Amino acid sequence: MLADSALAYFLADETCRTRAGGRGRMEFGIVSSGAYIPKHRLARSAIAAAHSWMAPALKAQAKGARAFCNFDEDSVTMAVEAVRDCLADGPERAGIEVLALASTTLPYADLSNAAIVAAAADLPKAIRTLESGGSQRAATSTLLQLLRGPACDTLLVASERPQARPASVQEMQSGAGAAALRLGCGDLVARFLGGASLAATLADHVRASDAEEGYFWEERWVRDEGYAKIAPRVIRAALEDAGIGIDDIDHFVMPSLLRQGAAVAARAVGFAGKMADDLAADGGHAGAAHGLLMLASVLESARPGERILLVGFGQGADALVFEATGRRPSSRGVSGALARRVETTDYLRLLSHYDRIELDWGMRAESPEKAALTNAWRAEGQLAAFKAGRCPACGAVQFPQLPCCVSPGCGTPRDRFAQASLADEPAKVLTYTADWLSYHPAPPLYVGFVQFENGARLYMETTDAAAEEMDVGVPVAMVFRIKRIDPRSGFRRYFWKATPQEP
C-alpha cells in the first residue's frame, strides 16, 4: 500500500538522476543507518511464570528478554528516534527529497503518519512522503522499490509495535523497534548490487484491519511451503540480478518468527555460512521493521567487500544484495540501542502499556483530553520540531515563543526571532519532583525544570527514568513521545520529553 505523495515520487523530476537497470549502473545504496529499540526489557521468564498454570510449555522459550514500548511510545515516536539516529553526524538533512515509512502498526489509518515523522525530524517542508504496510515485508519491498527508482536522497524508516495475545508464542517472541536507512550516492556504507521480488497469496498469518493481534497458521506448513520454496526462488533471482552466487554471500539476513525458518531458506539455496544475529536474545521480533534492524546491525561490523543478502518474507518474498564498503555508520545504531536497557519482571506493566488490561486509576484519570487541532497546526514548528525562539536584541532563548521577548525591558517582536532547535541541544535537570498523586500511566510522574546549554529553561516531563537515575544536574536528552490521546477522536498529541542521558 502506498499513500500520500507516492505518485509524485514515481513521477520525480529530472533533478533525480535515473539509473538504468542491470549491472554497470551508477553506484547507489545505503549512506547511513540508524535504529531505535525501547529501553524497557521484560524477562521472558516473567511471562512464562505468569501463564505457567495454563501454558507450562512456554517455559521452553523463557530465555532472555523482549523489548516493549513505554506507555508514550508508538510506531511514530520510534520512527522519529530512528531517523534522528540515522541523521546524526551525517550529511545535511536539507537535501532529503523523499521520506518512506513502512509499518503494519501505525496509529492512523487516515492521517499522514509520515508527515508527523517528517515534522518532528525537522525534514525539508517540500519533502515527498509515502507509507507502506499490509505485509511483514513492507520494509524490504519498499527498500527494493526505492533502490530501483530515481537515485534521490531518500530516507526509509520501518517501525513496528506488534501486539500479541497473552500466553501466545508470539507474545514471547515479539519485541518492538525501528530502523532507518538513508539512501543515496557518494560515500556509501553499502552498495546495492541487485534484488528480486515475488508476490504470493500464501497466508502464514492473518490480521484483519480492525484486529489487534494476528492469527498464525501451522508452523510446519509455512516452513515447507513458504520458507523452503518461495524464499529460495527469490534469492536465486536476486543473486542472478547481482551477478554473483550464493558462495559469494558473507551475511544471510532474514527475520523469522518461525523456529529455524531462516535456516530452512538458507539451506535450500546452499548457504553454509554464518547467519546474522536475529536480535532475539535481548530485543525480540519487531515485525516489518526487523529486517532493517538486522541489516543495520550487520552494517556496524561488516568488512570491506563483504556481501550481504537481505530477505523479507510475507505473502511472497523480497531479496536484496549489498556489498559493504567498510565505512561504519556514525550513529548509535542497533548495538547502542540494545545497550540502553532497563530489565523488569513486571509483566503487568507490559499488559497495561499495551491496553491488554484496564486498571482503576481513580478519579484523577477522568480529566477531559479533547485535542485542539487548530493549535496543533498554528504551533507546528514549536510543537513538532521543538523550535525555540532566540531574541536578536538580547540573545534570550525562550519556549514557547510568545508574541514578544520576555526579557525585562526588551519586548522584541516574535517575527524577528531566530529559530533555535531544542531537540538536540545538551541539557541537564535543574529541578525535579516525583509526583505520585497526579494520574500517570507509569507512576511516578517526574516533572521539573530542564536547563538547556543555549540558555533556554523549560518545565518538562521526564520519561523512561528510574528513581536512581534522577538527580539535579543529570544530563538529559530530548525524545519525541505521545503527550495525550483524545479518547473521542483518537487524535494523538505528540511532544518532546526529557530522558536520562546514557553515560
Side-chain angles (χ1 to χ4, degrees):
M1 175 190 69
L2 298 178
D4 271 345
S5 51
L7 181 60
Y9 168 72
F10 291 112
L11 300 177
D13 59 37
E14 294 180 358
T15 60
C16 288
R17 296 158 290 170
T18 304
R19 296 183 293 106
R23 293 181 294 279
R25 52 199 166 208
M26 175 176 58
E27 279 197 345
F28 187 51
I30 300 171
V31 176
S32 61
S33 63
Y36 178 80
I37 297 173
K39 183 177 181 178
H40 292 291
R41 306 287 197 279
L42 176 64
R44 291 190 176 95
S45 58
I47 303 176
H51 301 302
S52 60
W53 64 278
M54 52 80 67
L58 288 178
K59 187 177 180 180
Q61 302 186 42
K63 295 180 181 178
R66 56 154 293 180
F68 68 99
C69 289
N70 203 350
F71 75 96
D72 55 359
E73 293 183 294
D74 62 12
S75 294
V76 165
T77 66
M78 291 191 294
V80 171
E81 296 306 318
V83 167
R84 294 175 70 200
D85 189 45
C86 181
L87 299 180
D89 303 320
E92 287 294 324
R93 63 190 68 189
I96 298 173
E97 300 171 75
V98 177
L99 170 67
L101 175 60
S103 177
T104 67
T105 57
L106 292 171
Y108 293 119
D110 192 0
L111 186 72
S112 178
N113 302 275
I116 300 171
V117 174
D122 199 19
L123 299 180
K125 293 293 184 184
I127 198 166
R128 298 188 296 275
T129 62
L130 62 93
E131 297 177 13
S132 57
S135 168
Q136 291 295 289
R137 61 186 180 98
T140 52
S141 295
T142 304
L143 177 58
L144 182 56
Q145 195 166 319
L146 294 171
L147 290 168
R148 291 291 198 200
C152 300
D153 190 348
T154 301
L155 264 176
L156 167 62
V157 56
S159 182
E160 202 83 299
R161 182 183 180 271
Q163 287 269 41
R165 184 168 298 180
S168 66
V169 172
Q170 289 74 39
E171 184 183 40
M172 300 287 283
Q173 296 176 335
S174 293
L181 302 177
R182 188 169 185 174
L183 311 177
C185 307
D187 192 12
L188 301 179
V189 172
R191 304 179 185 92
F192 174 59
L193 301 183
S197 188
L198 182 150
T201 57
L202 182 142
D204 55 319
H205 76 279
V206 177
R207 179 166 70 86
S209 59
D210 58 349
E212 292 183 339
E213 68 271 332
Y215 179 83
F216 288 79
W217 201 246
E218 199 271 324
E219 289 189 5
R220 185 178 62 178
W221 184 82
V222 175
R223 271 198 305 268
D224 293 349
E225 293 298 317
Y227 286 85
K229 295 179 181 179
I230 294 175
R233 288 172 56 192
V234 176
I235 292 171
R236 294 186 185 101
L239 293 172
E240 182 180 354
D241 185 57
I244 61 175
I246 191 63
D247 293 337
D248 298 310
I249 297 296
D250 300 285
H251 302 276
F252 193 101
V253 181
M254 185 178 186
S256 172
L257 267 174
L258 298 188
R259 291 168 294 179
Q260 298 299 308
V264 167
R267 286 195 299 269
V269 294
F271 180 76
K274 186 178 179 182
M275 305 291 289
D277 183 0
D278 64 3
L279 311 178
D282 196 31
H285 192 278
H290 205 67
L292 297 197
L293 277 168
M294 291 175 64
L295 175 62
S297 178
V298 169
L299 292 175
E300 292 179 19
S301 58
R303 293 178 294 185
E306 288 187 335
R307 271 68 178 272
I308 304 165
L309 175 64
L310 169 64
V311 184
F313 180 83
Q315 293 77 61
D318 307 304
L320 300 91
V321 183
F322 297 94
E323 182 178 84
T325 65
R327 186 174 75 79
R328 296 286 181 266
S330 57
S331 61
R332 172 188 60 201
V334 176
S335 58
L338 288 173
R340 180 181 176 273
R341 67 192 304 278
V342 172
E343 187 163 332
T344 180
T345 56
D346 248 340
Y347 175 54
L348 291 180
R349 180 185 291 265
L350 179 147
L351 294 182
S352 176
H353 291 350
Y354 281 63
D355 297 323
R356 312 304 298 187
I357 56 175
E358 186 173 348
L359 301 175
D360 182 4
W361 292 101
M363 294 178 65
R364 293 184 181 91
E366 297 174 5
S367 58
E369 298 292 350
K370 184 172 176 61
L373 304 185
T374 50
N375 187 60
W377 166 245
R378 288 170 179 162
E380 183 208 18
Q382 298 185 61
L383 297 175
F386 208 14
K387 294 289 184 69
R390 186 188 300 275
C391 177
C394 67
V397 180
Q398 65 178 54
F399 186 97
Q401 299 181 42
L402 300 178
C404 60
C405 181
V406 296
S407 295
C410 184
T412 301
R414 182 172 64 188
D415 58 10
R416 294 177 54 191
F417 287 179
Q419 299 299 298
S421 175
L422 299 181
D424 298 308
E425 182 71 15
K428 293 183 178 180
V429 173
L430 184 64
T431 66
Y432 77 95
T433 297
D435 184 353
W436 285 91
L437 297 178
S438 300
Y439 163 68
H440 190 61
L445 167 63
Y446 286 108
V447 291
F449 280 98
V450 170
Q451 180 67 58
F452 291 86
E453 198 171 277
N454 64 6
R457 183 179 295 177
L458 185 61
Y459 189 74
M460 298 189 71
E461 180 180 339
T462 299
T463 189
D464 284 353
E468 61 272 16
E469 294 179 295
M470 291 301 296
D471 201 358
V472 172
V474 167
V476 289
M478 301 299 111
V479 290
F480 190 70
R481 294 295 176 91
I482 301 169
K483 185 67 175 176
R484 294 285 188 274
I485 300 178
D486 185 336
R488 181 178 179 86
S489 67
F491 184 80
R492 300 186 175 206
R493 281 201 292 131
Y494 294 97
F495 188 56
W496 297 81
K497 300 180 183 180
T499 191
Q501 182 74 61
E502 295 302 304

